[in-house]
Amino acid sequence: CGLCGGISYSGDDMKVIIAIAIYFMSLSTFVLASCLDEGMLKHMDKNAPEVSVLAFPQCVALNQCKIARNELEKVKNYDGVKYSFLKGCALANGDCFKQDLKEAEKLLLSCSKYSRACKINLFNLYSIYGDNPEKYEQFALDLANSNYIMAIGFLADLYANKGTLEGHAKSLFWAKLLLYAFETQLKNQERFEYENRAYIAPDVKLRKQRIAEIENVSSLLKKIEYQLPKDLVNKIDRIFLKYLSQVQIEASDA
């Protein structure tokens, strides 16, 4: 693959990414008599409809599937979009249901019209199980333009694999954006840990992971640049900086 050594993601890695999307809270490691009496839920009115939205992923995580499925049915009556999202993710992972990719796609496709989270998880589903990555190019472009890092990496990988001058040029642009995203993540982590140094310990493992990602993308960038004319590399640099400044302006105006 075009992005390797921590930049491309295996099927198992991507499954974890899909699963993470349905976690709305930090889950306790202690299992009580019922998952409904765990974490935030024990302080909430069990009759409130939004409780089931929180309860489903928590009960899945604690492997209390009977309760999880019962709570999901309540979500179906409360909010169809959230129901499609939660069940679509569960079916994609095989969490408390038999894995059913076709039904997962159907559910995530239906709610992707209304929810970015659904759209992201539909893209992840395609990324793992899709038979032709080029089919999802436009899908990835839409998400990459809204700064979804997995879509950015997907595009850098997709274009690098084309093996053409145009492909390498496009891959260079998206790889530059991927590097910027990883560097921003590291800076944000360092700033957060510094500002909260009296309360939390540095996450050394996460820091090492992000440094490795930065090093791998930097290495990839050098390889791509080597295959391109210098004037084209300079042109892509200018396009990238213009794109980045526009994104930052839009973010500040939001």
Side-chain angles (χ1 to χ4, degrees), residues 116 137-149 151-152 155 173-174 177 243 247 250:
R116 184 171 183 269
E137 179 179 356
Q138 187 57 51
F139 205 161
L141 284 168
D142 291 342
L143 288 171
N145 283 323
S146 61
N147 299 320
Y148 180 50
I149 199 167
I152 295 171
L155 290 169
F173 172 84
W174 291 108
L177 191 58
Y243 173 86
V247 169
E250 289 176 355

Side-chain angles (χ1 to χ4, degrees), residues 181-196:
F182 284 144
E183 289 176 337
T184 300
Q185 285 185 338
L186 180 59
K187 289 177 183 176
N188 289 341
Q189 177 189 348
E190 290 175 339
R191 183 172 62 251
F192 175 79
E193 290 179 347
Y194 177 77
E195 293 174 349
N196 296 277

Side-chain angles (χ1 to χ4, degrees), residues 90-186:
L91 289 173
N93 291 324
D95 291 332
C96 287
F97 293 93
K98 182 178 179 180
Q99 188 179 51
D100 187 335
L101 299 181
K102 288 186 176 179
E103 186 63 20
E105 178 187 15
K106 180 181 176 182
L107 289 167
L108 292 172
L109 188 62
S110 68
C111 68
S112 66
K113 303 170 186 175
Y114 312 101
S115 165
R116 184 171 183 269
C118 282
K119 192 171 185 178
I120 284 173
N121 282 282
L122 180 61
F123 169 75
N124 290 341
L125 182 68
Y126 288 149
S127 297
I128 305 169
Y129 300 106
D131 56 355
N132 184 357
E134 292 188 358
K135 290 181 181 178
Y136 318 119
E137 179 179 356
Q138 187 57 51
F139 205 161
L141 284 168
D142 291 342
L143 288 171
N145 283 323
S146 61
N147 299 320
Y148 180 50
I149 199 167
M150 294 304 301
I152 295 171
F154 174 88
L155 290 169
D157 197 39
L158 174 69
Y159 294 132
N161 285 334
K162 290 182 180 294
T164 63
L165 183 67
E166 181 183 1
H168 284 124
K170 289 182 177 180
S171 180
L172 180 61
F173 172 84
W174 291 108
K176 281 180 175 292
L177 191 58
L178 186 63
L179 178 61
Y180 175 80
F182 284 144
E183 289 176 337
T184 300
Q185 285 185 338
L186 180 59

Side-chain angles (χ1 to χ4, degrees), residues 79-93:
D79 189 318
V81 172
K82 288 185 174 67
Y83 170 82
S84 295
F85 172 58
L86 291 170
K87 189 165 186 180
C89 291
L91 289 173
N93 291 324

